[in-house]
Amino acid sequence: MAAGMSKDMETAVKALKANGFDVEPVETADAATGLALNMIPTEATVGVAGSTSVRQTELIARLKERGTKVIDVVAPSELSPIELMRQCLNSDVFLASSNAVTLDGKLVNIDGAGNRVAGMMFGPKKVILTVGANKIVRNVDEAIDRIRNVIAPYHCMTRGTKTPCAVDLRCSDCKSPARICNVTTIIERRPWYTEMAIILVGEDMGLGWHPDWPEKRREKIASVYSETRKGFSQAVKNFGAPQKKK
């Protein structure tokens, strides 16, 4: 166990291990970078979902520096984001995060296109999820509530997605073509044929908070998230966007 882990982090680690996941708790994002690098062979092809948590580490840059092939769905490319998503599903290693981790060791996620959750479950030989301690929740109900009423609305607002939740910051179960809550998955135990490692970081990473948390903590999570998103390429504006019907 990592030094200084919270009680919730300890509980989640034990539950995730009991559910068959390979879990490594670390204190910092820097430690997560080093750990993930050691898990990934230099010759591997690495697919990267549109994860802010992964981009809050130095992992992508370090992989490229050592010559590892990286398929990044939001990096500048001659290929469309959708084609890059498909290529990620055939990668040796897939990097992503999880919207929420429950105290009884489940991974809860909601996607617009479904590429991220598809890659988690089957396709890539190995999946590495980098998850901040702020993503830990009590149960599946709390996870879905937080995703729909905190993560999705703030993500849509930051990205400029034209959905009702981007305006009022609350889920309205919208019918918008730009809706990002289309696919909900609950991974209760490690999928049979996918090697999955979860790096649980004792820092706030990505997007997610409880409404009762101190305002300064919530503001910092939101600020770091928004700043990280600024570094995304133009491709992020098309990431997951619905295709026009012919």
Side-chain angles (χ1 to χ4, degrees), residues 136-188:
I136 299 173
V137 298
R138 288 174 296 175
N139 51 43
V140 170
D141 287 343
E142 182 179 335
I144 292 175
D145 180 73
R146 189 186 291 192
I147 296 168
R148 289 188 177 278
N149 292 301
V150 174
I151 297 174
Y154 194 86
H155 176 74
C156 285
M157 182 188 72
T158 302
R159 192 168 119 175
T161 304
K162 298 186 182 304
T163 56
C165 70
V167 178
D168 57 27
L169 297 183
R170 294 291 296 178
C171 177
S172 61
D173 191 22
C174 71
K175 309 301 180 185
S176 168
R179 172 182 165 132
I180 66 170
C181 297
N182 296 326
V183 181
T184 300
T185 63
I186 303 168
I187 304 178
E188 298 189 5

Side-chain angles (χ1 to χ4, degrees), residues 1-2 4-21 23 25 101-107 133 135-139 198 200:
M1 294 291 184
M5 279 200 302
S6 67
K7 183 178 179 180
D8 280 355
M9 194 168 168
E10 289 184 5
T11 300
V13 168
K14 290 178 181 177
L16 287 164
K17 287 183 176 180
N19 288 341
F21 299 103
V23 188
V101 174
T102 67
L103 288 176
D104 60 350
K106 297 181 177 69
L107 306 176
K135 304 285 191 73
I136 299 173
V137 298
R138 288 174 296 175
N139 51 43
I198 301 170
L200 198 56

Side-chain angles (χ1 to χ4, degrees), residues 29 50-57 97-99 130-135 146 150-151 154-155 201 203-209 213 217-229 232:
S51 169
T52 304
S53 296
V54 173
R55 287 165 177 78
Q56 287 171 354
T57 73
S97 187
S98 181
N99 292 139
T130 302
V131 186
N134 55 311
K135 304 285 191 73
R146 189 186 291 192
V150 174
I151 297 174
Y154 194 86
H155 176 74
V201 186
E203 295 181 337
D204 293 336
M205 298 185 69
L207 187 58
W209 58 77
W213 287 357
R217 183 181 181 186
R218 288 184 281 120
E219 287 181 347
K220 183 176 180 181
I221 293 171
S223 175
V224 173
Y225 174 84
S226 298
E227 190 61 32
T228 303
R229 301 293 296 187
F232 280 24

